[in-house]
Amino acid sequence: MTGAEQAVRGRALMLLKADAALAALVHGVFDGVPARASAPYVSVGAAEGSDWGTKDRAGREVRLSVVLHGQGAALDDAAAGRIDAVAGGLRGAAEDWEIVGARVVRTRFAFAREGGWRHELVVRCRCLAD
């Protein structure tokens, strides 16, 4: 993982954990899937990077996976909406990078085992090196 991927993951975790409205809806925000957690919870997953930049600045495009895990028939659109809102706020300084663009580019919903479900959001961040 390059510095841009680590910077985006770190900033996303910080913002998601600091969001009071999201904290009221889920039991926690985790870096990766925790060994034990009660649904609903949020996990920040894979970060894929590719080359991206401008004529005068090096950059990376990072696609970050954020997953809302739930249980039962209650599909929590409010928590997914908070994750979407926080993703839009990823712009700004992140370690040695500047996140100049951030938006959700894909969502996926799937049922899991034993009555569980997953709502995955993929956030595309475009980063320029400081």
Side-chain angles (χ1 to χ4, degrees), residues 25 31 36 48 82 88 97 102 117 129:
L25 298 169
D31 186 2
R36 302 181 121 209
E48 296 179 21
R82 286 305 312 149
W97 296 85
W117 49 264

Side-chain angles (χ1 to χ4, degrees), residues 54-88:
T54 64
K55 288 182 180 181
D56 60 343
R57 289 178 71 187
R60 301 281 295 167
E61 180 176 286
V62 178
R63 290 182 179 246
L64 180 68
S65 172
V66 180
V67 182
L68 172 62
H69 302 263
Q71 187 72 29
L75 307 180
D76 199 342
D77 290 339
R82 286 305 312 149
I83 295 168
D84 196 343
V86 170

Side-chain angles (χ1 to χ4, degrees), residues 3-4 6-12 14-15 57 89-101 126-130:
Q6 289 174 336
V8 168
R9 282 179 62 80
R11 183 159 172 83
M14 178 194 67
L15 292 175
R57 289 178 71 187
L90 281 171
R91 290 182 178 181
E95 297 178 19
D96 294 335
W97 296 85
E98 180 75 19
I99 301 172
V100 296
R126 291 186 170 161
C127 309
L128 292 173
D130 278 344

Side-chain angles (χ1 to χ4, degrees), residues 1-58:
M1 185 174 345
T2 69
E5 286 88 351
Q6 289 174 336
V8 168
R9 282 179 62 80
R11 183 159 172 83
L13 280 163
M14 178 194 67
L15 292 175
L16 288 166
K17 287 180 178 183
D19 189 82
L22 180 62
L25 298 169
V26 299
H27 292 127
V29 175
F30 301 96
D31 186 2
V33 178
R36 302 181 121 209
S38 299
Y41 66 90
V42 176
S43 65
V44 176
E48 296 179 21
S50 59
D51 187 38
W52 181 87
T54 64
K55 288 182 180 181
D56 60 343
R57 289 178 71 187

